[in-house]
Amino acid sequence: MTIRKTLLSSVAVLGMLLTTGAAAAQQASVGGHTQTITADARSTLSPGLNDAGQAASGMVLEYTLGKPDGFVDPDIGFSPPTSQAEGEALMRSARGNPNFSPLGMANTDLALSNGKLFVGNFNGFNAYDLTTGGAPQLVMSVVCPGGQGDVSVRGNLLFMSVEEGRGRLDCSAPTRSGEVLPDRFRGVRIFDISDLSAPRQIAAVQTCRGSHTHTLVPHPTDANVLYVYGQGTSGVRKTGELAICTDGQPDANPETALFSIDVIKVELDRPQDAAIVNRPRIFADATTGRVAGLWRGGRAGIASQDTAQTNQCHDITVYPEIGLAGGACSGNGILLDISDPENPARVSDIFDPDMAYWHSATFNNAGTSVVFTDEWGGGIAARCRAEDPATWGSNMIATIENRTLTGRSFHKLPSAQGATENCVAHNGNIIPVPGRDLMVQAWYQGGISIMDFTDPAKPVEIGYFDRGPISAERLYVGGSWSAYWLNGRIYSSEIARGLDVLRLVPNEQLSAAEIAAAEAIIAEEINPQLQTRISWSDTPDVAQSYLDQLARSNALEADVATRAGAIVTGWRAGEVDKRAAGRLVSTLRNAAEKAQLADRARMTALADLLGRISA
């Protein structure tokens, strides 16, 4: 959620929230692909905090857990002001309360390690045991206000982002406010969680703009070294509070803390000594060296929206196996070479006037595509109404060729949402179905959606889960902050309500075999902004997944499909017909030569698999 300065300045809250929307459009057309936003079963769900109506396709809700004590907002949550009088009342409330935060009890991002799910919150974080065979069990709560509270985990270390001015070094609630405070903390906290009954903060790395989000980056050759890329999006701290910080545009102040990220080095055998080792100028002009080398913000084109200046990254997702990171950097999407993680270097950048604020990035497994999200409206506005532009607040799918980004299409939640539902593209990750690029994603009160972007020019929704608005009369900020596939289930960090656990179920666009193949992929540790390459074992479910996909696109001749199906059926029963499998390999390879790109890859993968089991 990107209301950066609103967390520090209630004046900015009012100015942003009273800004009117732009001209409406109902369709998006990029590269010949047209998407229409229409009403469906999700559009008229009944309201309620704990009893809202629900709609789902391709998934079911298994468990929902309320927030633990210390993380429940007694006033439901933040309702953006709708008038000058309400805005002024909000400002008065903020000025009299050093612990003020519009989203003070909001759930945020997720991470998983060793069977434990860690849920960030503006007021700290919680941990749940997922190994009990039933609903997640709360095993740890840490109250540590300061927002945004995004978490990552490596072994017995938990990393937490802190950006608000109310953060304090010792996790206490502030008792006074001011521009310069010696005990203020904004940056990345590090906790030792080896004993879940007694977690303890062992380091707190101060940064100039705080840490809105962060990314763990392993050293390519030294397992003892971990880097943390800190993405700060707030205002620059006063030099009197942190000596390394100065503000201003780089033409007037070359040392400005804007236009950079923080690279923190952590030696895992002494994490208490973690420190910033670089603040690289990743937006600099490659030819002139000018620090402010990318988009300067403002309007681009006659009918476009206001767009953010590229002086920060909101999210950076690293993919070490391909040596690249995708940066969603306010006014641009970028690719970074991370072969030397201490010195990341930009190798490509992309701009589009329909992207107001580049928010997050997710690669496909092959590393040939990347999904960038646009957090138009900052996550606190209704941006999925039927009249809202279908290219605004959506996903942009870009392809990567020769380490160069090219935009291919937009994809937005196709269900029209109401005026009291904050909704815009937000956090998600890959569902590991072989043969397809699937991404599960949060859309705040737009719910959870699954996008198939196997063809980056023609993304399509294949599943969803949604609740009705918190209120039918007024917008309260809520909904799914992050929705991630984590070891066979979808976990959703619900801003106002708590934690949801969902399970995939077959529908016309997703088969039982595809779900089983995805559920077989298990990782001990998952930090969604650190992507790792997925590989599938040779199993009947993987083979059947390819067959189901080829049947869906009618890509195989009937007799070939029948022969392949018989082989998989026999294999599932415990007996592989090796001769039949071997004969089918060449047939599939010949068919692949004439197939469309995605089906060609599936036929080739199936032929390779059958070749291995027939050997």
Side-chain angles (χ1 to χ4, degrees), residues 69-71 123-126 141-145 160 170-173 191:
D69 293 341
F71 298 86
N123 204 43
F125 61 91
N126 295 282
S141 290
V142 175
V143 173
C144 188
M160 176 183 175
D170 63 357
C171 285
S172 63
F191 289 86

Side-chain angles (χ1 to χ4, degrees), residues 35-46 53-57 384-386 411-418 421 423 445-450 461-469 509:
Q35 182 187 6
T36 302
I37 311 302
T38 59
D40 64 9
R42 291 168 277 181
S43 303
T44 56
L45 294 171
S46 58
Q54 299 179 10
S57 174
C384 300
R385 300 165 300 177
H411 174 79
K412 191 168 183 176
L413 185 76
S415 169
Q417 300 288 295
E421 294 176 284
C423 178
Q445 287 199 74
I448 300 166
S449 179
I450 300 174
E461 183 185 64
I462 66 165
Y464 63 81
F465 170 80
D466 190 20
R467 289 186 176 91
Q509 301 179 80

Side-chain angles (χ1 to χ4, degrees), residues 318-518:
V318 297
Y319 198 165
E321 283 96 335
I322 65 172
L324 293 174
C329 301
S330 56
N332 292 89
I334 69 173
L335 278 184
L336 294 170
D337 182 328
I338 58 167
S339 54
D340 177 2
E342 194 165 317
N343 298 283
R346 190 178 86 253
V347 295
S348 182
D349 52 79
I350 187 172
F351 168 81
D352 192 284
D354 282 322
M355 299 283 283
Y357 187 82
W358 300 67
H359 173 276
S360 55
T362 303
F363 292 94
N364 69 342
N365 192 52
T368 56
S369 298
V370 59
V371 178
F372 291 105
T373 65
D374 172 23
E375 198 180 42
W376 172 42
I380 58 174
R383 291 292 187 256
C384 300
R385 300 165 300 177
E387 65 268 26
D388 290 324
T391 51
W392 295 12
S394 64
N395 298 325
M396 174 198 266
I397 296 90
T399 54
I400 304 169
E401 188 173 357
N402 297 323
R403 307 216 302 178
T404 300
L405 290 167
T406 302
R408 296 299 183 188
S409 65
F410 288 99
H411 174 79
K412 191 168 183 176
L413 185 76
S415 169
Q417 300 288 295
T420 63
E421 294 176 284
N422 57 305
C423 178
V424 73
H426 212 235
N427 297 341
N429 72 344
I430 298 301
I431 299 176
V433 171
R436 302 176 77 176
D437 293 334
L438 302 184
M439 178 178 171
V440 62
Q441 181 178 10
W443 289 81
Y444 293 120
Q445 287 199 74
I448 300 166
S449 179
I450 300 174
M451 175 184 67
D452 184 334
F453 65 106
T454 307
D455 181 347
K458 296 180 180 179
V460 62
E461 183 185 64
I462 66 165
Y464 63 81
F465 170 80
D466 190 20
R467 289 186 176 91
I470 293 174
S471 168
E473 289 75 38
R474 187 178 182 98
L475 191 155
Y476 289 90
V477 175
S480 180
W481 178 290
S482 298
Y484 296 135
W485 176 270
L486 304 172
N487 288 349
R489 293 293 184 268
I490 295 168
Y491 294 90
S492 170
S493 175
E494 224 286 356
I495 294 171
R497 296 178 174 102
L499 175 67
D500 292 329
V501 185
L502 301 104
R503 173 173 53 87
L504 292 181
V505 294
N507 64 9
E508 291 182 356
Q509 301 179 80
L510 190 64
S511 70
E514 290 176 301
I515 294 171

Side-chain angles (χ1 to χ4, degrees), residues 12-32:
V13 173
L14 180 62
M16 177 179 175
L17 297 175
L18 296 183
T19 300
T20 58
Q26 294 184 2
Q27 292 187 336
S29 182
V30 179

